[in-house]
mmCIF file of all heavy atoms in Angstrom:
data_model
loop_
_atom_site.group_PDB
_atom_site.id
_atom_site.type_symbol
_atom_site.label_atom_id
_atom_site.label_comp_id
_atom_site.label_asym_id
_atom_site.label_seq_id
_atom_site.Cartn_x
_atom_site.Cartn_y
_atom_site.Cartn_z
ATOM 1 N N ALA A 15 6.325 17.034 8.828
ATOM 2 C CA ALA A 15 6.276 16.808 10.294
ATOM 3 C C ALA A 15 5.278 15.695 10.612
ATOM 4 O O ALA A 15 5.543 14.867 11.546
ATOM 5 C CB ALA A 15 5.862 18.106 10.998
ATOM 6 N N ALA A 158 -3.409 6.643 12.776
ATOM 7 C CA ALA A 158 -2.801 5.390 12.373
ATOM 8 C C ALA A 158 -3.807 4.271 12.239
ATOM 9 O O ALA A 158 -3.758 3.476 11.295
ATOM 10 C CB ALA A 158 -1.698 4.983 13.354
ATOM 11 N N ARG A 171 -3.822 -3.996 -8.236
ATOM 12 C CA ARG A 171 -2.596 -4.141 -9.016
ATOM 13 C C ARG A 171 -2.270 -5.656 -9.072
ATOM 14 O O ARG A 171 -2.079 -6.298 -8.037
ATOM 15 C CB ARG A 171 -1.405 -3.397 -8.393
ATOM 16 C CG ARG A 171 -1.705 -1.940 -8.112
ATOM 17 C CD ARG A 171 -0.534 -1.265 -7.456
ATOM 18 N NE ARG A 171 -0.817 0.028 -6.912
ATOM 19 C CZ ARG A 171 -0.632 1.185 -7.563
ATOM 20 N NH1 ARG A 171 -0.168 1.137 -8.793
ATOM 21 N NH2 ARG A 171 -0.913 2.335 -6.978
ATOM 22 N N LEU A 179 7.808 -0.019 -13.539
ATOM 23 C CA LEU A 179 8.241 0.771 -12.381
ATOM 24 C C LEU A 179 8.599 2.178 -12.838
ATOM 25 O O LEU A 179 9.659 2.365 -13.417
ATOM 26 C CB LEU A 179 9.505 0.112 -11.731
ATOM 27 C CG LEU A 179 10.150 0.920 -10.593
ATOM 28 C CD1 LEU A 179 9.247 0.907 -9.352
ATOM 29 C CD2 LEU A 179 11.538 0.443 -10.253
ATOM 30 N N ALA A 488 -17.452 -20.445 -76.821
ATOM 31 C CA ALA A 488 -18.490 -20.101 -77.843
ATOM 32 C C ALA A 488 -18.856 -21.400 -78.597
ATOM 33 O O ALA A 488 -18.027 -22.109 -79.054
ATOM 34 C CB ALA A 488 -17.966 -19.082 -78.813
ATOM 35 N N ASP A 491 -21.581 -26.858 -75.612
ATOM 36 C CA ASP A 491 -21.366 -28.292 -75.539
ATOM 37 C C ASP A 491 -21.210 -28.892 -76.925
ATOM 38 O O ASP A 491 -20.496 -29.893 -77.069
ATOM 39 C CB ASP A 491 -22.513 -29.006 -74.801
ATOM 40 C CG ASP A 491 -22.544 -28.618 -73.320
ATOM 41 O OD1 ASP A 491 -21.526 -28.121 -72.844
ATOM 42 O OD2 ASP A 491 -23.569 -28.858 -72.695
ATOM 43 N N VAL A 554 -3.444 -48.680 -71.813
ATOM 44 C CA VAL A 554 -3.203 -49.282 -70.512
ATOM 45 C C VAL A 554 -3.400 -50.797 -70.512
ATOM 46 O O VAL A 554 -2.691 -51.541 -69.891
ATOM 47 C CB VAL A 554 -4.056 -48.582 -69.408
ATOM 48 C CG1 VAL A 554 -3.933 -49.335 -68.101
ATOM 49 C CG2 VAL A 554 -3.679 -47.146 -69.243
ATOM 50 N N ILE A 583 6.401 -42.746 -77.084
ATOM 51 C CA ILE A 583 7.221 -42.220 -75.980
ATOM 52 C C ILE A 583 6.385 -41.258 -75.094
ATOM 53 O O ILE A 583 6.447 -41.410 -73.846
ATOM 54 C CB ILE A 583 8.456 -41.554 -76.541
ATOM 55 C CG1 ILE A 583 9.351 -42.564 -77.301
ATOM 56 C CG2 ILE A 583 9.266 -40.863 -75.402
ATOM 57 C CD1 ILE A 583 9.728 -43.751 -76.433
ATOM 58 N N VAL A 596 7.055 -47.711 -63.794
ATOM 59 C CA VAL A 596 8.181 -47.096 -63.056
ATOM 60 C C VAL A 596 9.393 -47.172 -63.915
ATOM 61 O O VAL A 596 9.795 -48.234 -64.371
ATOM 62 C CB VAL A 596 8.415 -47.827 -61.702
ATOM 63 C CG1 VAL A 596 9.608 -47.227 -60.993
ATOM 64 C CG2 VAL A 596 7.110 -47.719 -60.847
ATOM 65 N N ARG A 597 10.041 -46.031 -64.192
ATOM 66 C CA ARG A 597 11.240 -45.947 -64.986
ATOM 67 C C ARG A 597 12.442 -46.450 -64.184
ATOM 68 O O ARG A 597 12.678 -45.957 -63.104
ATOM 69 C CB ARG A 597 11.450 -44.515 -65.450
ATOM 70 C CG ARG A 597 12.629 -44.369 -66.415
ATOM 71 C CD ARG A 597 12.256 -44.803 -67.817
ATOM 72 N NE ARG A 597 13.359 -44.582 -68.737
ATOM 73 C CZ ARG A 597 13.483 -43.512 -69.543
ATOM 74 N NH1 ARG A 597 12.564 -42.539 -69.483
ATOM 75 N NH2 ARG A 597 14.518 -43.444 -70.353
ATOM 76 N N VAL A 614 -8.122 -43.443 -65.353
ATOM 77 C CA VAL A 614 -6.972 -42.606 -65.460
ATOM 78 C C VAL A 614 -7.351 -41.199 -64.983
ATOM 79 O O VAL A 614 -8.468 -40.742 -65.071
ATOM 80 C CB VAL A 614 -6.433 -42.573 -66.887
ATOM 81 C CG1 VAL A 614 -5.866 -43.945 -67.267
ATOM 82 C CG2 VAL A 614 -7.441 -42.118 -67.889
#
Side-chain angles (χ1 to χ4, degrees):
R171 304 178 193 268
L179 175 72
D491 293 344
V554 173
I583 297 304
V596 176
R597 184 78 178 264
V614 292

